[in-house]
């Protein structure tokens, strides 16, 4: 089921207390945006703390194909010599975005209002994911998309030669869709307006402003109204990428459920559009303290001190879903180790991620002996208490990094080891996962 040529089977075993400092890598969402906005500025943007996961490396390669000079100077330290808004060259070859929905959708937006064409593809997971959610609004600017049935990759996008500004209400809570429209709006004359009924991660808005674009956000009864004035001259920036709260989620959740653990995860974003998991964990009874609150790279951050805790199931408010959308897989593992039932509603977006994450978690947790209920928009986990999960299964990762890492976290506390059929996708977002977890005392190994 891996779909990869060289699957890496991995196994996690019951581990002693996790201790130490977990330095998680840079934020994936912010890393993609820094490369793309750097490429759309005239002059040199410097980035530190860039996530060097495969998803981001694929976006760096794509920016080179569109004419930007992208150079790595050292670990996490990169520069981008941009070509300016409207300055993209037509790529000479197919753009392969690998596993990254964020990469392909943001890049499509960034070229959709230039008079060039580009053909996009990706791995077996990305080729299953819907692109209509971005090509529909991009068509309003005048771009045309030619893809496979159901709006799937490979797909050619023909940019609008004479783009129109757009007013668009996003039909689903999606920062990727919002960002694709805003990036397209950069090269359209006049004002492009995006309205989102529910707030999603706001890194594009923050960073567009940082690069000098005129952008306003108004909270109105119909939702967040984001207005961007087109055709700015973006000014190159120094971007310090904060650490990724979605990666921090894995050591944090592991420490909560492995008895006796006590770890520190420094510099974790507390951006309210990203921190829903931490709010949820605290409601479940987690012992997390938020120390040294400060600002890093334009984002509020804190050092998280996390101690193992007895957790109880809760009903996660559906309106919180957007602020923790990538964290439901690992939350469902925590829920399996809590007492009582955890109800996660309003989560149907999980079905169109790197995998159908409701199905992937439900099947794997069931194989490990956990009772699950699900429907199109809901996942319910019946907790078995600390040490109560039998484990002893090999779970399919479905080319999905977060599914693989979630089951490996479960293996640290299950009675019998838990394996994943393919841990190779972990490199897309968290290339240092194995070393970092081993440093805390987690027993996670590659099978010979
Ligand atoms: C992301 C937005 C989210 C998230 C993804 C990263 C982004 O996707 O799941 O990992 O960087 O904009 P959606 O926009 O599809 O919700």
């Amino acid at each position: 089921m891996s779909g990869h040529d060289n699957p890496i089977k991995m196994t996690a075993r019951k581990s002693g207390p996790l201790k130490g400092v977990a330095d998680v890598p840079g934020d994936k969402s912010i890393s993609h945006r820094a490369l793309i906005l750097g490429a759309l500025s005239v002059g040199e943007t410097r980035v530190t703390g860039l996530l060097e996961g495969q998803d981001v490396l694929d976006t760096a390669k794509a920016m080179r194909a569109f004419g930007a000079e992208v150079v790595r100077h050292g670990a996490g330290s990169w520069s981008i010599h941009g070509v300016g808004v409207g300055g993209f060259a037509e790529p000479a070859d197919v753009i392969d975005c690998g596993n990254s929905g964020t990469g392909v959708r943001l890049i499509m937006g960034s070229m959709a209002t230039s008079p060039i064409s580009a053909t996009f593809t990706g791995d077996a997971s990305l080729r299953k994911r819907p692109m209509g959610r971005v090509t529909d609004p991009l068509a309003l600017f005048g771009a045309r998309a030619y893809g496979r049935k159901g709006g799937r990759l490979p797909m050619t996008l023909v940019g609008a030669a004479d783009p129109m500004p757009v007013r668009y209400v996003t039909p689903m809570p999606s920062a990727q869709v919002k960002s694709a429209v805003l990036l397209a709006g950069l090269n359209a004359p006049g004002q492009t307006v995006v309205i989102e009924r529910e707030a999603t991660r706001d890194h594009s808005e923050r960073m567009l402003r940082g690069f000098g674009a005129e952008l306003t956000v108004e909270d109105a009864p119909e939702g967040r109204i984001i207005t961007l004035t087109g055709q700015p001259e973006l000014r190159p920036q120094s971007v310090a990428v904060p650490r990724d709260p979605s990666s921090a989620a894995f050591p944090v959740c592991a420490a909560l459920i492995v008895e006796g653990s006590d770890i520190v995860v420094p510099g974790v974003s507390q951006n309210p559009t990203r921190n829903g998991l931490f709010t949820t964990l605290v409601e479940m009874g987690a012992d997390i303290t938020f120390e040294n609150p400060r600002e890093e790279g334009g984002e509020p951050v804190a050092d998280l001190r996390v101690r193992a805790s007895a957790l109880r199931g809760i009903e996660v408010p559906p309106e919180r879903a957007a602020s923790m959308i990538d964290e439901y897989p690992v939350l469902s593992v925590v829920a399996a180790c809590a007492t009582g039932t955890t109800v996660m509603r309003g989560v149907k977006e999980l079905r169109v991620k790197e995998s159908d994450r409701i199905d992937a978690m439900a099947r794997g947790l069931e194989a490990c002996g956990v009772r699950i209920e699900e429907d199109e928009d809901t996942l319910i986990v019946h907790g078995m208490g600390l040490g109560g999960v039998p484990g002893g299964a090999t779970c399919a990762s479905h080319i999905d990094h977060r599914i693989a890492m979630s089951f490996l976290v479960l293996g640290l506390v299950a009675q019998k080891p838990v394996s994943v059929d393919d841990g190779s996708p972990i490199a897309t977002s968290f290339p240092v996962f194995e070393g970092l977890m081993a440093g805390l005392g987690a027993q996670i190994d590659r099978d010979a």
Side-chain angles (χ1 to χ4, degrees):
M1 277 302 292
S2 76
H4 269 183
D5 292 342
N6 297 306
I8 301 173
K9 188 173 178 195
M10 292 171 69
T11 298
R13 293 183 172 72
K14 206 169 174 55
S15 300
L18 304 182
K19 302 269 178 182
V21 177
D23 280 317
V24 302
D27 189 273
K28 181 152 71 71
S29 295
I30 295 175
S31 295
H32 283 296
R33 287 159 173 80
L35 291 170
I36 295 171
L37 288 182
L40 291 171
S41 308
V42 180
E44 188 184 76
T45 285
R46 298 292 294 217
V47 186
T48 53
L50 188 88
L51 168 66
E52 293 179 337
Q54 193 55 47
D55 279 9
V56 175
L57 299 179
D58 287 335
T59 290
K61 197 168 161 210
M63 290 302 101
R64 287 191 191 109
F66 282 100
E69 198 184 306
V70 184
V71 180
R72 180 178 192 266
H73 300 279
S77 170
W78 291 62
S79 65
I80 306 113
H81 258 106
V83 293
V85 169
F88 272 179
E90 185 163 274
D93 203 349
V94 173
I95 303 295
D96 187 346
C97 289
N99 191 246
S100 182
T102 307
V104 72
R105 291 179 176 135
L106 268 54
I107 296 168
M108 280 182 174
S110 68
M111 58 80 46
T113 46
S114 291
I116 55 172
S117 300
T119 301
F120 296 90
T121 193
D123 70 7
S125 154
L126 191 57
R127 280 183 274 116
K128 281 189 204 153
R129 298 179 67 186
M131 294 300 139
R133 54 175 55 202
V134 287
T135 56
D136 288 352
L138 296 181
L140 303 175
F141 287 97
R144 282 167 294 140
Y146 304 92
R148 285 164 61 228
K149 213 165 112 196
R152 313 279 184 223
L153 303 179
M155 175 177 278
T156 296
L157 194 63
V158 180
D162 202 2
M164 307 278 290
V166 155
R167 182 181 176 87
Y168 191 67
V169 182
T170 54
M172 70 289 287
S174 168
Q176 293 175 1
V177 174
K178 167 178 68 178
S179 303
V181 176
L182 290 174
L183 289 167
L186 279 176
N187 200 35
Q191 292 192 322
T192 285
V193 180
V194 185
I195 301 167
E196 54 178 6
R197 293 194 193 95
E198 291 169 53
T200 62
R201 66 191 67 196
D202 63 355
H203 308 303
S204 295
E205 295 92 306
R206 286 173 188 252
M207 210 181 274
L208 277 163
R209 276 209 195 105
F211 275 78
E214 201 180 310
L215 179 144
T216 60
V217 180
E218 186 195 333
D219 284 311
E222 58 202 295
R224 274 180 92 232
I225 306 176
I226 306 152
T227 305
L228 172 78
T229 303
Q231 300 179 326
E233 180 155 330
L234 296 183
R235 291 187 300 267
Q237 296 298 303
S238 287
V239 181
V241 180
R243 296 168 198 273
D244 197 326
S246 299
S247 296
F250 295 98
V252 166
C253 288
L256 286 174
I257 57 179
V258 175
E259 249 180 287
S261 297
D262 184 353
I263 69 164
V264 173
V265 191
V268 180
S269 174
Q270 296 304 303
N271 179 326
T273 63
R274 292 291 297 280
N275 69 354
L277 173 75
F278 306 118
T279 308
T280 301
L281 292 171
V282 169
E283 284 175 9
M284 294 174 81
D287 182 352
I288 304 178
T289 52
F290 299 85
E291 298 170 357
N292 305 318
R294 60 198 181 275
E295 188 144 307
E296 272 177 19
E299 298 272 332
V301 303
D303 303 332
L304 268 49
R305 172 129 191 227
V306 186
R307 297 178 182 91
S309 311
L311 302 170
R312 49 191 179 274
I314 62 161
E315 176 129 14
V316 184
E319 61 275 13
R320 195 180 288 160
S323 69
M324 53 179 290
I325 194 67
D326 290 336
E327 284 65 76
Y328 283 97
V330 74
L331 177 65
S332 67
V333 165
V334 169
C337 303
T339 51
T341 300
T342 297
V343 181
M344 298 167 258
R345 293 193 202 282
V347 295
K348 65 171 182 289
E349 274 294 303
L350 294 179
R351 298 216 178 261
V352 290
K353 296 294 178 187
E354 286 82 331
S355 67
D356 175 341
R357 287 181 170 163
I358 296 180
D359 184 67
M361 290 312 300
R363 300 293 81 76
L365 285 170
E366 277 170 352
C368 291
V370 182
R371 196 157 68 81
I372 298 296
E373 292 171 68
E374 66 172 296
D375 67 26
E376 184 54 27
D377 198 25
T378 311
L379 179 63
I380 298 172
V381 177
H382 295 279
M384 308 186 82
L386 267 188
V389 177
T394 298
C395 305
S397 66
H398 299 281
I399 325 182
D400 188 331
H401 51 134
R402 299 199 202 285
I403 299 300
M405 289 186 278
S406 296
F407 285 121
L408 291 172
V409 167
L410 182 62
L412 305 178
V413 289
Q415 291 156 10
K416 291 196 194 125
V418 175
S419 301
V420 292
D421 64 344
D422 184 11
S424 66
I426 294 170
T428 61
S429 70
F430 202 160
V432 298
F433 175 77
E434 286 167 87
L436 182 145
M437 295 302 289
L440 299 175
Q443 289 192 56
I444 299 176
D445 297 300
R446 296 182 178 208
D447 290 16

